[in-house]
Amino acid sequence: MHAMLTLLLSCTVHAGPPLPQAFCSGLVGPFTLSADGKRIYNYDQTVWDVPGRKLISSESGIGAFALATSGDGKWFAYGGNRSIFRIVDTRTHKVHWDLTLWAHGNTIITHIAFTPDNRHLISLSANGILAVWDVIDKKPISLFVFPVRFKYFLDSQQDFLRSWRALHGATPPHNVKTFVQQKLTLERGRQFSIHPNGKSLALPTSDSDVLLLEVASGKILSTIKTEQETTMNVCYSRDGKMLAIGAGSADNTAYLGKIELWDVAKEKKIKTLKAHRHSVRQLQFSPDDTMLASTGTVDGVRVWNVSTGKQLYHLYAYDRNGDASEAICLAFTPDGKFLLTCGPDRCDGVFFHEVKTGKRILQPLNK
């Protein structure tokens, strides 16, 4: 553990007096908030106590951008480049299970999330491998393999499968009970969203479709046909009744990254939000599902009224130099009072905003 990191004063994005302080590790990267809102986990494996505004622990290592905490607060998982993938026991701050390289082969871990039962973790990699893990017993459960278009990632997937077969024969990789080689192609594995019931997940294909996949079997339950050029990311509402689908473009900077809101039960589009220039990077519903926050690759954070589809406010449209802003992370506090963001100058840290107005505030102490 290195020395206690200091809290830095944030930069002033707009004219006026200095804005309130932020949590800051001095490193660029995303964060995730614990289910109770009391801890912030940063991409460099630093852990902050929110009520006390102090650093709990920090580890040197490779930065990870796929982050997740379990609902019961017992586990923190992170993954990223060079196949880094670890699950940490938050009670001891020690690595509970190191899955680096072994889990998905030599690739990038792009997204991870705990299921509502807090026992299982689902991970996705750029080479098209979707896996389900029993965290407590440290046991692989299921493996679903999708063809991917990018040759580098397809080669990584095939190398992973060939290596396993060379060592273990015809048994499924990791000896999982459920192994499915899917036929539908992904551009690459990017992101998914688990339905609140834990039985299914939504998986964007990076074409215009979103797959609804049964977690237990890998069966494709349905395919949502959007009006988007691409589907970059998805997010279920907290009650599971809506699905937000964000779009973007890999190479067209003039593309308008829209957000479609869908009725899950009817599989019917409710409305379209004309959201971000270029691409939508992340989506999250407020705890009461009345608001939706989104980040863009070039134009910061936008917050929407779900019922009307109107934008409520826009944060970090530009960085301190007046250039396009890439906002990478956000989170609502469990009580729905505050929105946490990582702004355009990401080394400045995590900022707190009043959720109704977007006004940046000093993080409340001891609440």
Side-chain angles (χ1 to χ4, degrees):
M1 182 184 297
H2 35 266
M4 174 72 73
L5 300 173
T6 57
L7 295 173
L8 302 181
L9 284 173
S10 66
C11 68
T12 303
V13 178
H14 303 287
L19 292 170
Q21 289 179 320
F23 282 103
C24 182
S25 68
L27 294 174
V28 175
F31 68 91
T32 190
L33 186 67
S34 63
D36 61 8
K38 294 182 178 180
R39 291 185 177 184
I40 291 175
Y41 294 83
N42 198 250
Y43 100 124
D44 60 344
Q45 293 90 66
T46 56
V47 184
W48 291 90
D49 170 62
V50 175
R53 292 186 66 86
K54 64 181 181 180
L55 184 69
I56 296 175
S57 68
S58 180
E59 298 180 17
S60 59
I62 301 171
F65 46 80
L67 307 171
T69 55
S70 60
D72 59 8
K74 294 180 179 179
W75 311 108
F76 164 54
Y78 60 88
N81 291 327
R82 304 180 188 178
S83 303
I84 184 172
F85 185 16
R86 298 186 181 106
I87 301 171
V88 176
D89 187 325
T90 60
R91 295 153 292 187
T92 63
H93 305 295
K94 293 182 179 180
V95 174
H96 169 71
W97 196 6
D98 193 339
L99 295 161
T100 302
L101 279 175
W102 179 76
H104 289 256
N106 185 16
T107 185
I108 302 169
I109 309 300
T110 55
H111 192 73
I112 53 179
F114 286 91
T115 53
D117 62 11
N118 300 311
R119 184 184 185 105
H120 297 93
L121 179 70
I122 300 178
S123 58
L124 178 65
S125 53
N127 63 357
I129 297 175
L130 183 73
V132 182
W133 312 89
D134 184 323
V135 175
I136 297 175
D137 291 340
K138 295 196 285 190
K139 183 179 180 181
I141 301 297
S142 306
L143 207 65
F144 312 124
V145 179
F146 289 85
V148 288
R149 289 199 184 92
F150 281 110
K151 187 177 186 305
Y152 173 81
F153 295 129
L154 182 60
D155 289 344
S156 166
Q157 179 192 116
Q158 296 305 311
D159 286 345
F160 168 75
L161 296 175
R162 279 194 295 266
S163 298
W164 176 269
R165 289 167 184 152
L167 293 171
H168 304 282
T171 58
H174 305 324
N175 293 315
V176 294
K177 291 183 179 180
T178 306
F179 175 61
V180 180
Q181 290 189 283
Q182 305 283 359
K183 294 181 180 179
L184 289 175
T185 300
L186 306 179
E187 180 186 13
R188 61 174 174 140
R190 286 182 181 272
Q191 188 258 355
F192 61 86
S193 180
I194 303 173
H195 190 279
N197 66 15
K199 296 180 180 180
S200 63
L201 60 81
L203 178 68
T205 65
S206 294
D207 283 326
S208 60
D209 300 339
V210 173
L211 307 179
L212 303 184
L213 190 79
E214 187 176 56
V215 172
S217 66
K219 178 183 178 182
I220 296 175
L221 302 173
S222 183
T223 301
I224 292 178
K225 302 285 186 180
T226 75
E227 296 179 1
Q228 314 279 37
E229 177 182 310
T230 61
T231 53
M232 305 288 283
N233 50 64
V234 289
C235 182
Y236 278 108
S237 59
R238 305 300 177 103
D239 61 10
K241 294 181 179 180
M242 285 182 290
L243 180 67
I245 303 172
S249 175
D251 52 13
N252 182 4
T253 56
Y255 183 80
L256 181 63
K258 300 177 183 179
I259 299 172
E260 292 185 1
L261 295 179
W262 283 70
D263 182 306
V264 173
K266 297 179 181 179
E267 292 189 17
K268 181 180 180 180
K269 188 177 72 171
I270 303 170
K271 59 175 63 74
T272 299
L273 311 179
K274 296 181 179 180
H276 291 271
R277 293 182 291 114
H278 197 197
S279 298
V280 181
R281 184 172 185 133
Q282 186 182 1
L283 297 164
Q284 188 170 126
F285 283 91
S286 62
D288 62 3
D289 288 330
T290 62
M291 303 170 74
L292 176 70
S294 59
T295 63
T297 55
V298 298
D299 61 348
V301 176
R302 297 176 186 266
V303 179
W304 310 85
N305 181 303
V306 171
S307 178
T308 65
K310 293 183 178 180
Q311 180 178 294
L312 298 174
Y313 51 87
H314 185 188
L315 306 173
Y316 311 128
Y318 303 98
D319 65 14
R320 72 180 73 187
N321 297 316
D323 297 324
S325 163
E326 179 185 20
I328 61 170
C329 205
L330 49 80
F332 286 97
T333 54
D335 60 11
K337 294 181 179 179
F338 306 107
L339 176 67
L340 279 64
T341 66
C342 186
D345 297 294
R346 289 170 283 174
C347 63
D348 286 339
V350 179
F351 295 104
F352 283 70
H353 305 263
E354 290 181 346
V355 76
K356 292 183 179 180
T357 65
K359 179 182 177 182
R360 189 185 296 180
I361 61 171
L362 184 66
Q363 178 266 318
L365 293 174
N366 302 318
K367 291 184 179 180

